[in-house]
């Protein structure tokens, strides 16, 4: 009989489901070394946020088939290490949607009516009504940053309470926003117009400290900010200083850049600040929902069935998976690249299968491309199971084409993304040993392997441009790993592809764009 280790507290209903097919051992509060010591005997591991599943744990888990995270975020799991070992990682992307949305609304109302401090004062024997005159949310403007499942539910309830709705989400369609009663606007417009701002986005390099001093300077002095999404999206020092200076009216935070929250200027603030210890998913119903969801997936995988919310491996038959695995990685890589090149709100994605690839099963390749396209913004919210649904909800038109007559490589994949900022394309192929090569950028021929950090330029092919770009990067201590230029005619338009060892520092991209002869420049993180 298979064995399952449950290393964090989960609802008993989850354990009961697992017990149908496996021996279940509940061992909480294991140290990292203890987990490494015991994991070799288990076929599955079920966790919440407390257990860190490191590469060392995964390497020791020689019998592991699946890791189940009872919740959304998988930051505490080394997903790449699990993928390399062929271990499925699953989560519960929808189990705590209602809990997180309701906590957001509770925080907004508590902040508006000063409920936490009024409660504390009354318990201290002080009957003080004058100090706690609040504000109604009715007829106020709520700015929703991120219209995923949680943000959409917050918007629906807020609309029922009579609030006006603005939304920013570069991956949502105007039609979808209008269905929710939201006017889709740019982020600066939302900052300038909203009376309340609520965040429902993952933490990525692009969203880290999204709410900072510069953003706050654009907001109304009566704005109130709520964050029940991820710590680190808000610059906590900037928020504290803005509240002290009266630049904003209030803030309610459930998540923090470092948890548990230690010494912080946030704790010294009064009724204008509401703090809770990451309670967004802490309802009895949510804990039951995520326990059931993940336990069922672990049970199914142990019985040889596919998982419905795998974050790293699509739900395909093993023989199909083995055949297409290299092309899935190619498709996901190209999707990440073309989405970042196109930028803005993506309206359509054209996926062209060429050569021998045109005769293969296409659905998993299309899903992998969509996962790559959406993952820079959605992070753990998108996987091989829900990529198509997420794309449809965001109004992204997916077009699939096949052309077996193109024989530049045995099989190649061409992706073209059209968005509000223009259209860009990339082509890639597999070389020997399934090594990925980027073979064209915007129809300019190149031959480069993908790299973690890449810089692309569109420029006029004139002497000196390459040297000037190299000098700018050198002055900023950015090391170039490789460089290649693709062109069609001498001294015509060309693209330059640079693989760099570190992220590009702020403002360098604008300096590159200002170089004479440069038409445009883009950074891509893979």
């Amino acid at each position: 009989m298979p064995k399952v280790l449950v290393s964090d507290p989960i609802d008993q209903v989850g354990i009961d489901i697992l017990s149908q097919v496996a021996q279940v051992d509940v061992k909480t509060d294991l140290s990292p070394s203890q987990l490494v010591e015991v994991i070799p005997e288990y076929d599955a591991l079920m966790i919440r946020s407390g257990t860190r599943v490191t590469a060392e744990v995964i390497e020791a888990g020689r019998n592991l088939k699946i890791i189940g995270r009872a919740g959304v975020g998988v930051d505490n799991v080394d997903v790449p290490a699990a993928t390399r070992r062929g271990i499925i990682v699953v989560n519960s992307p929808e189990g705590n949607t209602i809990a997180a949305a309701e906590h957001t609304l509770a925080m907004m109302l508590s902040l508006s009516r000063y409920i936490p401090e009024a409660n504390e004062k009354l318990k201290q024997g002080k009957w003080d009504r004058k100090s706690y005159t609040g504000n109604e949310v009715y007829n106020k403007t709520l700015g929703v940053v991120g219209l995923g499942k949680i943000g959409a539910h917050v918007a629906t309830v807020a609309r029922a309470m009579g609030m006006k709705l603005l939304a920013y989400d570069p991956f949502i369609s105007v039609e979808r926003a209008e269905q929710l009663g939201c006017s889709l606007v740019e982020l600066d417009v939302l900052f300038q117009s909203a009376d309340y701002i609520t965040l429902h986005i993952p933490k990525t390099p692009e969203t880290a400290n999204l709410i900072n001093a510069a953003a706050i300077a654009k907001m109304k002095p009566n704005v109130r900010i709520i964050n029940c999404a991820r710590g680190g999206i808000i610059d906590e020092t900037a928020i504290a200083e803005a509240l002290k200076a009266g630049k904003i009216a209030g803030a309610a935070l459930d998540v923090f850049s470092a948890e548990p929250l230690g010494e912080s200027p946030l704790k010294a603030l009064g009724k204008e600040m509401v703090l809770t210890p990451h309670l967004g998913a802490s309802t009895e119903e949510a804990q039951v929902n995520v326990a059931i969801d993940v336990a069922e997936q672990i049970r199914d995988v142990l019985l040889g069935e596919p998982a419905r919310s795998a974050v790293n491996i699509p739900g395909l038959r093993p023989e199909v998976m083995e055949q297409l695995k290299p092309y899935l990685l190619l498709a996901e890589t190209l999707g990440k690249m073309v989405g970042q090149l196109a930028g803005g709100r993506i309206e359509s994605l054209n996926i062209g299968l060429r050569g021998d690839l045109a005769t293969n099963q296409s659905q998993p390749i299309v899903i992998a491309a969509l996962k790559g396209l959406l993952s820079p913004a959605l992070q753990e919210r998108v996987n091989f199971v829900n990529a198509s649904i997420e794309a449809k909800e965001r109004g992204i038109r997916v077009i699939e084409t096949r052309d077996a007559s193109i024989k530049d490589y045995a099989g190649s994949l061409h992706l073209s993304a059209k968005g509000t900022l223009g259209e860009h394309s990339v082509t890639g192929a597999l070389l020997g040993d399934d090594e990925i090569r980027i073979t064209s950028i915007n129809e300019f021929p190149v031959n480069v392997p993908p790299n973690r950090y890449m810089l692309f330029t569109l420029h006029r092919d004139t002497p000196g441009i390459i040297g000037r770009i190299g000098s700018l990067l050198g002055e900023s201590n950015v090391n170039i790993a490789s460089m290649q230029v693709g062109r069609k005619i001498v001294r015509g338009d060309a693209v330059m592809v640079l693989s760099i060892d570190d992220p590009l520092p702020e403002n360098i991209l604008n300096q590159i764009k200002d170089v004479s002869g440069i038409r445009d420049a883009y950074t891509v993180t893979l």
Side-chain angles (χ1 to χ4, degrees):
M1 177 178 278
K3 295 182 67 176
V4 178
L5 174 63
V6 177
S7 60
D8 288 320
I10 67 165
D11 193 271
Q12 181 62 39
V13 66
I15 296 172
D16 292 342
I17 291 170
L18 293 172
S19 298
Q20 297 170 5
V21 297
Q23 174 187 323
V24 181
D25 295 336
V26 179
K27 299 179 181 179
T28 59
D29 299 321
L30 291 173
S31 68
S33 60
Q34 288 173 326
L35 181 58
V36 170
E37 183 179 348
V38 302
I39 199 63
E41 60 185 279
Y42 291 99
D43 301 276
L45 173 63
M46 186 170 182
I47 63 171
R48 288 179 61 194
S49 59
T51 299
R52 295 200 62 80
V53 187
T54 62
E56 185 181 7
V57 172
I58 289 166
E59 186 64 30
R62 55 179 175 264
N63 294 319
L64 274 182
K65 299 175 181 64
I66 181 170
I67 299 166
R69 161 70 163 98
V72 178
V74 290
D75 296 344
N76 54 326
V77 179
D78 191 329
V79 177
T83 303
R84 287 192 296 270
R85 290 288 309 277
I87 299 168
I88 301 172
V89 180
V90 301
N91 67 348
S92 180
E94 299 182 27
N96 58 17
T97 295
I98 299 301
E102 289 185 354
H103 193 65
T104 298
L105 295 160
M107 294 284 268
M108 180 173 69
L109 294 171
S110 294
L111 186 63
S112 297
R113 302 302 297 269
Y114 306 120
I115 292 171
E117 185 160 301
N119 169 72
E120 186 62 28
K121 292 294 183 183
L122 185 57
K123 287 181 177 179
Q124 294 172 4
K126 299 178 182 178
W127 185 270
D128 183 359
R129 300 178 63 193
K130 293 183 180 179
S131 299
Y132 301 109
T133 301
N135 294 93
E136 297 176 3
V137 300
Y138 176 76
N139 215 29
K140 300 297 193 307
T141 297
L142 174 64
V144 184
V145 181
L147 272 181
K149 293 179 177 64
I150 297 172
H153 190 74
V154 169
T156 300
V157 177
R159 184 185 184 190
M161 292 194 297
M163 299 189 80
K164 303 171 186 176
L165 301 175
L166 298 177
Y168 169 77
D169 190 327
F171 287 85
I172 206 84
S173 68
V174 172
E175 292 75 17
R176 171 60 176 161
E178 289 177 348
Q179 287 174 3
L180 296 168
C182 298
S183 298
L184 207 58
V185 297
E186 294 302 318
L187 193 58
D188 280 355
V189 174
L190 186 148
F191 285 161
Q192 293 163 8
S193 307
D195 301 302
Y196 293 83
I197 295 173
T198 179
L199 305 173
H200 301 286
I201 52 178
K203 183 188 176 185
T204 68
E206 292 73 27
T207 63
N209 288 331
L210 180 72
I211 305 296
N212 53 28
I216 290 170
K218 301 171 185 176
M219 299 176 187
K220 295 179 178 181
N222 68 331
V223 72
R224 291 174 170 86
I225 301 168
I226 303 100
N227 184 20
C228 296
R230 285 287 184 268
I233 298 173
I234 287 180
D235 182 334
E236 293 165 11
T237 300
I239 281 282
E241 291 175 353
L243 284 167
K244 288 178 184 177
K247 294 181 180 178
I248 60 175
L253 308 181
D254 183 51
V255 289
F256 308 92
S257 55
E259 297 182 2
L261 183 65
E263 291 298 320
S264 170
L266 301 173
K267 292 182 176 180
L269 297 165
K271 62 183 181 181
E272 68 277 11
M273 171 62 76
V274 176
L275 304 174
T276 53
H278 204 145
L279 299 180
S282 295
T283 65
E284 292 181 5
E285 294 86 351
Q287 295 311 308
V288 169
N289 290 340
V290 297
I292 292 173
D293 189 2
V294 174
E296 287 180 344
Q297 293 187 76
I298 293 175
R299 178 200 63 195
D300 292 348
V301 167
L302 293 178
L303 291 174
E305 299 295 325
R308 58 178 173 266
S309 295
V311 301
N312 62 340
I313 298 178
L316 301 172
R317 297 193 311 274
E319 62 272 19
V320 176
M321 178 63 189
E322 190 61 32
Q323 177 188 357
L324 293 181
K325 189 184 297 182
Y327 286 108
L328 297 179
L329 182 58
L330 170 66
E332 187 172 351
T333 300
L334 297 182
K336 287 181 181 178
M337 186 174 292
V338 77
Q340 292 176 70
L341 289 174
R345 187 177 302 114
I346 303 298
E347 298 169 350
S348 66
L349 179 68
N350 193 310
I351 303 168
L353 291 82
R354 298 174 171 180
D356 293 345
L357 192 57
T359 63
N360 273 277
Q361 183 177 341
S362 63
Q363 182 186 16
I365 295 172
V366 170
I367 292 172
L370 288 172
K371 180 178 183 293
L373 182 78
L374 297 170
S375 62
L378 302 184
Q379 298 291 303
E380 70 272 3
R381 281 168 46 194
V382 63
N383 54 47
F384 285 101
V385 175
N386 65 11
S388 295
I389 297 171
E390 295 283 0
K392 184 177 181 180
E393 288 185 347
R394 283 155 179 75
I396 299 173
R397 185 164 169 249
V398 181
I399 306 159
E400 180 190 331
T401 61
R402 295 169 180 266
D403 191 342
S405 67
I406 300 177
K407 296 291 188 179
D408 48 353
Y409 292 87
S412 63
L413 190 63
H414 178 80
L415 266 58
S416 176
K418 182 179 180 181
T420 53
L421 301 181
E423 186 170 0
H424 291 265
S425 66
V426 297
T427 306
L430 296 176
L431 302 186
D433 296 326
D434 295 332
E435 187 177 354
I436 295 176
R437 279 290 189 276
I438 309 303
T439 59
S440 80
I441 301 290
N442 292 335
E443 309 304 332
F444 289 93
V446 295
N447 190 337
V448 295
N451 191 62
R452 170 68 170 162
Y453 304 109
M454 303 184 80
L455 170 65
F456 299 83
T457 68
L458 174 63
H459 64 275
R460 195 71 179 168
D461 183 29
T462 55
I465 283 187
I466 294 174
R468 286 195 286 276
I469 300 303
S471 296
L472 273 174
L473 295 178
E475 291 166 4
S476 301
N477 198 33
V478 176
N479 195 47
I480 299 174
S482 68
M483 184 276 293
Q484 189 177 126
V485 173
R487 63 184 186 179
K488 298 175 183 176
I489 59 172
V490 176
R491 293 183 183 265
D493 285 338
V495 297
M496 180 165 50
V497 184
L498 294 97
S499 297
I500 53 181
D501 291 337
D502 305 289
L504 208 62
E506 287 186 35
N507 303 322
I508 299 302
L509 191 63
N510 288 332
Q511 293 180 40
I512 291 172
K513 291 179 179 179
D514 289 339
V515 171
S516 178
I518 295 288
R519 302 281 179 82
D520 215 336
Y522 314 86
T523 57
V524 168
T525 302
L526 297 176

